[in-house]
Amino acid sequence: DASGRCIELSCYGPPSKLFVSSSPHVEFRDVRCTADTDRCKFGLVRLFLGFRLDFMLPGSSRVAERRYSRGEIFDVSIPKQDDVSLMIMCEHEKQNPGSTMTWATLSSSELAVRLHVMTLDALIDENYDLTFGRGNSMDDPCIWRIPKVQKRLVRLMELLG
């Protein structure tokens, strides 16, 4: 940039290496939980690409500061049987079969797997619920102070086109 400070991005380890984070049990309450017993319960697997950020000294090739970070490539949530999101989706599917799930093919150069995925309408509904809640808990103007609300509003606009 104009100040002469640059950022160099580089992978650590062999360039093709990825790493996996696995959390077999994640449980919490969020704005979709309207009953006392409602919980978000799922297993989570993430695929990351690690990289290093080198902050260079202005006008120098010396590193002033080095930080390690990661870029998330895939995030797969596997709901538990009593997950509130799964229960909401099952209720929608029961009322209107075919409204929440569709088939997709995940493929690489050597392999293809057919699997169920959420429909665009289901993604919009879920994102709306995550942003604004299912009860009146999100009617408060303090909604804008919740860290993920801005990201979810942008995602909702992207889904709506």
Side-chain angles (χ1 to χ4, degrees):
D1 64 8
S3 70
R5 187 172 184 192
C6 64
I7 298 173
E8 176 186 314
L9 295 177
S10 60
C11 292
Y12 58 91
S16 63
K17 291 292 183 180
L18 301 172
F19 64 98
V20 174
S21 164
S22 176
S23 303
H25 185 76
V26 178
E27 182 176 338
F28 58 90
R29 284 183 58 82
D30 71 9
V31 294
R32 295 170 296 171
C33 300
T34 55
D36 289 341
T37 56
D38 286 348
R39 296 282 185 279
C40 298
K41 295 180 182 180
F42 53 92
L44 179 63
V45 177
R46 291 181 173 154
L47 179 65
F48 295 101
L49 170 67
F51 59 92
R52 185 180 76 207
L53 294 168
D54 288 342
F55 297 93
M56 310 306 286
L57 289 169
S60 170
S61 61
R62 290 186 38 222
V63 175
E65 186 176 351
R66 175 169 287 162
R67 297 276 173 108
Y68 291 95
S69 192
R70 63 180 193 255
E72 190 172 284
I73 298 173
F74 287 106
D75 179 332
V76 179
S77 298
I78 304 161
K80 304 281 181 163
Q81 190 172 5
D82 55 348
D83 174 71
V84 69
S85 185
L86 179 62
M87 290 189 292
I88 293 167
M89 195 163 57
C90 287
E91 188 58 37
H92 286 217
E93 190 66 21
K94 182 178 164 186
Q95 292 172 6
N96 188 6
S99 64
T100 59
M101 300 300 290
T102 190
W103 282 102
T105 302
L106 180 64
S107 62
S108 70
S109 59
E110 299 176 17
L111 193 62
V113 177
R114 201 162 144 78
L115 65 154
H116 279 106
V117 296
M118 292 174 71
T119 63
L120 182 58
D121 287 346
L123 287 169
I124 291 169
D125 287 344
E126 182 181 55
N127 200 287
Y128 181 89
D129 284 350
L130 283 167
T131 305
F132 299 107
R134 294 178 54 231
N136 53 4
S137 61
M138 298 299 275
D139 291 347
D140 191 315
C142 293
I143 180 179
W144 307 110
R145 294 186 188 143
I146 297 173
K148 289 190 174 185
V149 166
Q150 182 178 359
K151 177 181 85 171
R152 288 180 178 147
L153 283 173
V154 169
R155 188 177 296 153
L156 187 58
M157 288 186 284
E158 290 171 349
L159 287 168
L160 293 172

